[in-house]
Amino acid sequence: AAPARGGTGVANGWVSKRAAPGGGAAKLSGSGVAARIRAVERLLRRKGGELPDRARAAQEATLSKLKEERAANASRERERKLAVRYHKVRFFERQKLERRRRRLEAAAAAAAA
């Protein structure tokens, strides 16, 4: 059975499809993190005064963790883009070095003979 509106449903055994195995939080993509951040910010903005202190603190903690995850995702994505960009350059440089090594080995073999 689905949980009551606004509840997590953990008490009745219902688990979200997004939940990670083992009960940990699921890793979200960049847009998923951004959507969760917007949702939590809207919740705090609209119902911040009505929320109990414990619930508000939990939402603020969630918000700070989501912002950290967004920053980590951004740096990971930047590293990936740079790796892809310079993969071809490194390949060509390695090819040039291999050609030069072969020429030098051939010259050394010719000089020894």
Side-chain angles (χ1 to χ4, degrees):
R5 183 173 171 94
T8 61
V10 174
N12 63 8
W14 182 83
V15 179
S16 169
K17 289 181 182 177
R18 287 190 176 184
K27 292 288 181 190
L28 296 174
S29 65
S31 60
V33 171
R36 289 281 311 277
I37 288 173
R38 281 193 304 274
V40 172
E41 286 176 340
R42 280 196 301 266
L43 174 74
L44 289 173
R45 193 170 50 244
R46 290 179 184 165
K47 300 186 186 228
E50 301 171 12
L51 288 175
D53 291 339
R54 181 179 265 175
R56 181 174 178 78
Q59 290 298 325
E60 288 172 348
T62 301
L63 183 62
S64 67
K65 285 181 184 177
L66 286 169
K67 286 183 177 183
E68 289 171 9
E69 188 172 340
R70 179 175 58 183
N73 283 348
S75 69
R76 257 195 315 271
E77 182 62 23
R78 183 172 186 274
E79 288 176 19
R80 191 193 66 77
K81 277 186 177 180
L82 290 175
V84 168
R85 180 183 299 169
Y86 292 112
H87 183 266
K88 187 187 280 188
V89 173
R90 290 195 336 250
F91 171 76
F92 288 132
E93 290 297 319
R94 191 169 53 245
Q95 295 295 94
K96 288 195 297 189
L97 288 173
E98 286 293 319
R99 278 197 305 271
R100 185 171 182 197
R101 184 183 60 82
R102 283 194 303 268
R103 276 192 229 117
L104 288 172
E105 286 176 353

